[in-house]
């Protein structure tokens, strides 16, 4: 039996009796076996082929991964059932029989250790080599039927009594199994290690022995495993009743280790020079390497998304948006992208603008960025459609929960609009559709929306006037603060109709303030965040300036009426009056005159149509300064 073997068990310093390591050292044992008669004390390497110096010439050449081993057939047949079964089919050459072991688990290094065991040399077992030796023993059929205490038995004993009782040793063995597929799966070694790890992660801290359920002592260890092993462990941990916050924190830790480097490699500068085209900075190798990385990254992203806790407290909104960005860039399953968009919509109030800036390109099979026209109608820098769908999910969720829309959401959207408004490829229709996603009552103040519109107009100077008017329709001038109204009244980029509406709204607000009322924002106080006008002196000054403008326009209106009457009288006697015609046209072109006309129309009934394009070109924006 294994217990009666003359073995030496060596525990590393800091390990307790249960095999729970307190540092990175590993447990190991040395298996001494009786020496084969006539062999030297140790194997000798003779250049490339592995060579052992015996008294009896070797009669078998074994090739493993390009390495050649000159051995004795009898030494292997006595312990390896596989060699015995194929003995009759071995081909013989001048150097003896030849055999080539294809796909040998562990490669030539592991086979050399197996040879040492077959020849009777001491073999050390440790967590770093036991998995490969166990798979190699299974490959060579080194069972107890051939010899008591054969390699399968001894490696199994080491795994059972040493490895699986230790947290770190189980991690080490499971990590080594990644290169031993499918042998490690067939002998259930992977499953046993994963179950052991999951049980310990759900139950106790190996460094303290405390019963814990929400600490992160095991996150770093499991983060080194491949995605398949990690998923199985997380599934088992969750089945053991671990809290969603703990599971989510572990997933975020794993994503940080495996995906953060991807996010750094996919560097995008928002707007370049010249034609304002996007410029990428991708750190990738050749086509084959790029393709391999693309597939690997896509698998990791899809796997992590599929095991996210369903509870909102499981992972943060910031992490969900980061995963959504990676998912859209690497074109993962549409169902997973939809699920991420829905999850983000349920926690959108915790997002910020930078998290919502999702690129509008994907990573192709060659590992290079390409535009995806299915995302947007235009080649915009950011994926506007994703954000619009997130908002729709948010509104649906809030409606189902019968919750009022919080002001923070409108602020978030307006700041996002201000950010993407600089994109020269963003159309008016896209901007308008996104701005109107929120219902009108969701905004108590339109200052942020006005800022976004102003940035868009500044970044798109070639807009036609009807496009400008269409854009400004999104904004409600009655919801602008006094400071915003002042800015808009002097803004040459706004169409004249919008300026008239702003001036009318400004007068209403000034009257309300003077009467001790505040009608801004549907009965709410003026937005204090922007430090708007608060002193009575400033308000009085504005009122005086407006009255002056009214007087000037009234005077011009009277002059115009008198001139027109005189003109009509003279016109009936004479067809052409150059002097009067010149004077009348000069007055007619006065911007103050038209400003007066527009204000009267808006203030009285707001029913007359806006001035024509010629008057819009000459409007005067210095009424308020």
């Amino acid at each position: 039996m294994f217990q009666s073997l003359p073995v030496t068990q060596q525990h590393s310093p800091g390990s307790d009796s249960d095999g729970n390591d307190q540092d990175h050292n590993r447990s190991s044992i040395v298996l001494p076996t009786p020496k084969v008669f006539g062999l030297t004390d140790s194997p000798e390497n003779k250049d490339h082929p592995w060579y052992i110096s015996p008294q009896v010439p070797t009669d078998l050449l074994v090739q493993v991964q390009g390495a050649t081993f000159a051995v004795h057939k009898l030494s292997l047949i006595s312990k390896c059932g596989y060699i015995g079964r194929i003995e009759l089919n071995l081909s013989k050459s001048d150097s003896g029989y030849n055999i080539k072991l294809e796909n040998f688990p562990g490669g030539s290094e592991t086979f050399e250790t197996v040879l040492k065991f077959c020849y009777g040399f001491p073999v050390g077992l440790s967590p770093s080599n036991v998995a490969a030796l166990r798979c190699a023993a299974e490959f060579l059929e080194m069972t107890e039927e051939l010899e008591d205490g054969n390699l399968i038995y001894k490696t199994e004993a080491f795994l059972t009594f040493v490895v699986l009782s230790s947290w770190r040793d189980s991690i080490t063995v499971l990590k080594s199994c990644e290169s031993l597929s499918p042998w490690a799966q067939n002998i259930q070694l992977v499953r046993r290690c994963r179950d052991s790890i999951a049980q310990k992660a759900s139950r106790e801290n190996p460094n303290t022995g405390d019963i814990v359920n929400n600490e992160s002592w095991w996150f770093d260890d499991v983060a080194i495993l491949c995605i398949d092993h990690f998923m199985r462990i997380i599934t088992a941990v969750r089945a053991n009743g671990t809290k969603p916050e703990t599971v989510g924190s572990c997933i975020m830790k794993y994503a940080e280790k495996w995906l953060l480097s991807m996010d750094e490699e996919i560097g995008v500068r928002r707007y370049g020079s010249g034609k304002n085209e996007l410029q990428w900075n991708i750190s990738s190798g050749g086509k084959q390497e790029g393709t391999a990385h693309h597939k690997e990254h896509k698998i990791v992203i899809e796997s992590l998304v599929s095991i996210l806790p369903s509870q909102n407290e499981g992972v943060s909104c910031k992490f969900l948006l980061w995963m959504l960005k990676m998912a859209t860039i690497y074109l993962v399953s549409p169902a997973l992208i939809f699920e991420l968009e829905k999850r983000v919509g349920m926690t959108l109030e915790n997002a910020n603008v930078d998290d919502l800036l999702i690129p509008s390109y994907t990573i192709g099979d060659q590992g290079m960025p390409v535009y995806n026209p299915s995302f947007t109608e235009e080649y915009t820098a950011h994926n506007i459609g994703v954000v619009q769908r997130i908002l729709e999910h948010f509104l649906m969720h809030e409606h189902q929960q019968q919750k009022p829309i919080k002001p923070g959401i409108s602020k978030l959207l307006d700041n996002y609009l201000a950010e993407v408004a600089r994109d020269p490829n963003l159309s008016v229709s896209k901007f308008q559709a996104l701005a109107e996603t929120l219902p009108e009552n969701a905004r108590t103040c339109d200052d942020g929306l006005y800022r976004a519109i102003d940035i868009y107009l500044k970044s798109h100077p070639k807009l036609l006037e009807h496009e400008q008017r269409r854009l400004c329709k999104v904004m409600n001038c009655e919801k602008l603060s006094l400071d915003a109204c002042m800015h808009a009244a002097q803004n040459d980029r706004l169409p004249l109709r919008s300026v008239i509406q702003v001036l009318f709204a400004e007068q209403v607000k000034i009257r309300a303030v003077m009467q001790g009322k505040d009608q801004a924002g549907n009965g709410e106080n003026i937005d204090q965040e922007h430090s708007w006008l608060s002193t009575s002196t400033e308000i009085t000054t504005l009122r005086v300036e407006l009255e002056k403008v009214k007087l000037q326009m009234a005077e011009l209106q009277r002059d115009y009426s008198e001139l027109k009457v005189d003109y009509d009288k003279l016109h009936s006697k004479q067809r052409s009056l150059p002097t009067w015609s010149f004077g009348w046209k000069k007055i007619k072109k006065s911007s103050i005159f038209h400003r007066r006309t527009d204000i009267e129309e808006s203030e009285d009934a707001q029913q007359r149509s806006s001035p024509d394009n010629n008057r819009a070109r000459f409007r005067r924006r210095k009424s308020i300064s």
Side-chain angles (χ1 to χ4, degrees), residues 39-54 69-70 112 116 121:
L39 297 181
T40 58
D41 293 337
S42 63
E44 300 177 1
N45 289 324
K46 299 296 183 180
D47 299 328
H48 177 66
W50 186 88
Y51 182 79
I52 190 167
S53 179
F69 300 87
E112 183 174 347
K116 292 180 181 180
F121 297 111

Side-chain angles (χ1 to χ4, degrees), residues 495-528:
L496 184 57
R497 179 181 295 179
S498 299
V499 175
I500 294 173
Q501 294 174 351
V502 168
L503 286 172
F504 178 77
E506 187 179 28
Q507 292 184 33
V508 173
K509 289 180 176 60
I510 291 177
R511 292 193 185 115
V513 172
M514 296 300 295
Q515 296 172 5
K517 300 179 181 179
D518 187 4
Q519 298 177 355
N522 293 329
E524 296 187 1
N525 292 329
I526 298 177
D527 191 358
Q528 298 297 328

